[in-house]
Amino acid sequence: MIPNREDLKLKRRTAFVTDERFFWHHAGTPVCGCDPADLNPETGNYFQATKHFENAETKRRFRNLVDACGLLQYLDTTTVRRREASDEELTLFHTAAYVKLVESMTSGGDAGDFAQFGRGSFNIAKLAAGSGIEAVNALLAPSPQIDNAYVLCRPPGHHAERDRGMGFCVFNNVAIAAKHAQQKHNKRVAIVDFDVHHGNGTQQAFYDDDQVLFISIHEDSLYPQGSGCTDERGEGKGIHDTINIPLPAGSGVGAYKYSFETIISPALKAFDADLLLVSCGFDASFSDPLGHMMLTSECFGQMAMMLLDSVKVPSCFFHEGGYSEELVPFCGLRVTEALCGLEASRVVDPGDEEANGYGYQALQSWQKQIIDDIYTSSAKPCIDKHPPLNL
C-alpha cells in the first residue's frame, strides 16, 4: 500500500528534477568502464568491450525506486523547468573555445580525459546544466514553492574543468549553477562534494573566490591522482575557503560521520552561505566498483541530514557518480527521504545489515588522526576566517 502524505509526515517541499533525455546520454564504449576496447596481438592488448560504468541503468533504477515506493507522488516534479543552458551560461565557467569544441563533435567524441560522449550528448549535457540553473532559480525565487531539490541528471559534472572534460563529465553542472547564483542572485554559496572522487573541476572554479566555500571529502589518491590533497586550501582572496578531506581507502561510516561532525558542519556554519549545493555521488558505497569505501545507504541519508541541519538555507543536490546498480537506488532514496524530512523510511535496503557488520566500519584511530590533522590545517583556518557577525 502506498502511504498518504499525512502518514509520511514530510517536513520539507522537495523538487525531484529529472528528464528521460538524461538517460539517453551515451558515455562511450569502454573496457574496465573507461578505456576503448582493443584487439591487437602485436601490442598484447585483448580488451573486450563492457558496459560503461556511467550508464543510465543506475539512475533509472534510482528514479524507479522513488516511484515504486510511493514517494515520487509527493515530490514536486513540475516547478523546476528542464531546459538547455545557453552558451552564455556555460561560459560562466567554461571557456568559449571548449564549448565550441564539444558542440563541433556532432557524432560524439572525447571531451578530455575519460570524457567520451555519443551523438546528441552535447544537448543532453546542456540540459543537465540548464536544469540545475532552473533549480537554483526556483529555490531563490521571491516566494519559493520548494525548500530543496534533487537534480537527477546525466552526464555528471564535478570533474569537468574550465577547458576540458574529465572523468565522465562534460560540463560542470554545480560550478555553473553556483556561478549563476553569484551573478544573477548575488548569493554566497557553499558546495559540499561527497563523491568518492575529488571534485577537481569545481575546486578549480572557486579556488581564489572568497564568496564560495568548497569542501570535498573523497578517497585519497583515487581520481584524479594527485588532486584533492590537504594542502590545496585556496589562494588569494579564497585562501582557506577550500577544504579537502582525503580519507584512506577502506574508510567506513565512522570516519565519514566524524569528518562531518568535526570539519564539514563547523565550516558550513562559520561560512554562513545563502545557498548550499551538493555534489552527490554514491560511489563511496560498500559495493561500488570504482571506489574502496564502505558506506551504507543509511549513511548517505544521514550525511544529507547533517548538511541540512548545518545550514538552514535553500539546498540543491546534484547527482554525480555511483556505479552499483544494486545500491545506488537505495542511496538515492535515502538522500531524497532526508531532503523531504522523512524521519523513518518504509523501504528496507537488504545490504545495510551486512555492510554494518563489516570490520573497521567504526572510526579507527589512524583515521581519527588524519581527520584531526585536517581540522587543524584546513578547517580551523576557515572557521577563524569567518567569525560570527554578532560578536
Side-chain angles (χ1 to χ4, degrees), residues 141-163:
S143 299
Q145 301 301 304
I146 56 174
D147 301 310
N148 53 51
Y150 193 102
V151 182
L152 177 55
C153 59
R154 295 178 67 233
H158 71 146
H159 291 310
E161 296 185 339
R162 195 168 283 115
D163 58 357

Side-chain angles (χ1 to χ4, degrees), residues 280-292:
C280 186
F282 300 123
D283 34 14
S285 74
F286 70 88
S287 67
D288 199 273
L290 291 184
H292 312 90

Side-chain angles (χ1 to χ4, degrees), residues 277-390:
L277 303 181
V278 180
S279 276
C280 186
F282 300 123
D283 34 14
S285 74
F286 70 88
S287 67
D288 199 273
L290 291 184
H292 312 90
M293 300 307 207
M294 298 195 298
L295 297 191
T296 61
S297 62
E298 179 184 32
C299 183
F300 281 104
Q302 291 168 344
M303 292 192 302
M305 189 63 71
M306 282 189 279
L307 292 176
L308 296 174
D309 287 343
S310 298
V311 287
K312 307 293 186 180
V313 297
S315 306
C316 187
F317 285 55
F318 289 73
H319 197 92
E320 299 283 3
Y323 308 101
S324 167
E325 291 187 5
E326 294 78 16
L327 198 55
V328 163
F330 293 101
C331 297
L333 176 65
R334 293 293 184 255
V335 168
T336 308
E337 290 172 335
L339 289 173
C340 295
L342 185 63
E343 294 182 352
S345 178
R346 296 169 181 249
V347 177
V348 175
D349 177 356
D352 266 8
E353 182 176 357
E354 176 186 354
N356 281 324
Y358 288 168
Y360 304 102
Q361 273 288 19
L363 177 67
Q364 305 299 304
S365 59
W366 66 87
Q367 296 167 347
K368 183 178 185 299
Q369 185 61 59
I370 290 170
I371 296 164
D372 288 343
D373 288 346
I374 295 172
Y375 171 80
T376 301
S377 65
S378 299
K380 188 176 186 304
C382 174
I383 294 168
D384 291 344
K385 181 180 177 180
H386 303 285
L389 295 178
N390 59 353

Side-chain angles (χ1 to χ4, degrees), residues 6 28 46 79 97 149 277 292 355 359:
E6 289 70 26
Y46 291 85
T79 293
L277 303 181
H292 312 90

Side-chain angles (χ1 to χ4, degrees), residues 4 47 54 71 96 100 220 280 316 327 329:
N4 59 47
F47 298 157
E54 209 300 292
L71 183 59
K100 291 299 181 185
D220 190 12
C280 186
C316 187
L327 198 55

Side-chain angles (χ1 to χ4, degrees), residues 71-284:
L71 183 59
L72 184 62
Q73 65 180 305
Y74 302 117
L75 303 178
D76 186 325
T77 59
T78 60
T79 293
V80 177
R81 185 162 66 103
R82 287 74 163 162
R83 62 148 175 105
E84 294 183 10
S86 66
D87 286 358
E88 180 182 4
E89 290 168 330
L90 295 176
T91 54
L92 289 172
F93 172 52
H94 296 289
T95 65
Y98 173 66
V99 174
K100 291 299 181 185
L101 174 65
V102 178
E103 183 179 19
S104 71
M105 301 178 190
T106 55
S107 297
D110 196 336
D113 182 55
F114 299 134
Q116 299 173 351
F117 62 95
R119 183 185 295 273
S121 284
F122 171 68
N123 297 97
I124 299 173
K126 290 174 65 178
L127 181 68
S131 299
I133 289 171
E134 288 300 326
V136 167
N137 286 338
L139 286 165
L140 299 178
S143 299
Q145 301 301 304
I146 56 174
D147 301 310
N148 53 51
Y150 193 102
V151 182
L152 177 55
C153 59
R154 295 178 67 233
H158 71 146
H159 291 310
E161 296 185 339
R162 195 168 283 115
D163 58 357
R164 66 169 178 164
M166 288 184 69
F168 314 153
C169 303
V170 178
F171 297 130
N172 196 314
N173 305 315
V174 167
I176 292 168
K179 294 278 189 181
H180 175 81
Q182 286 183 291
Q183 297 189 21
K184 300 297 183 181
H185 298 280
N186 194 31
K187 300 299 184 182
R188 285 164 54 86
V189 183
I191 302 172
V192 176
D193 186 330
F194 57 67
D195 189 281
V196 81
H197 307 97
H198 179 237
N200 57 292
T202 312
Q203 174 175 294
Q204 182 194 65
F206 304 105
Y207 205 58
D208 60 353
D209 190 338
D210 64 351
Q211 296 302 300
V212 175
L213 172 66
F214 175 69
I215 305 174
S216 178
I217 180 170
H218 50 272
E219 182 179 330
D220 190 12
S221 303
L222 185 55
Y223 181 87
Q225 292 190 354
S227 181
C229 301
T230 56
D231 60 359
E232 297 171 19
R233 302 171 192 149
E235 63 184 13
K237 292 190 301 181
I239 188 68
H240 302 314
D241 290 325
T242 291
I243 300 175
N244 281 297
I245 310 170
L247 296 179
S251 295
V253 171
Y256 271 79
K257 283 188 175 180
Y258 187 67
S259 297
F260 270 70
E261 293 166 355
T262 305
I263 297 174
I264 298 176
S265 290
L268 286 172
K269 291 176 181 178
F271 188 79
D272 194 25
D274 304 307
L275 174 70
L276 172 67
L277 303 181
V278 180
S279 276
C280 186
F282 300 123
D283 34 14

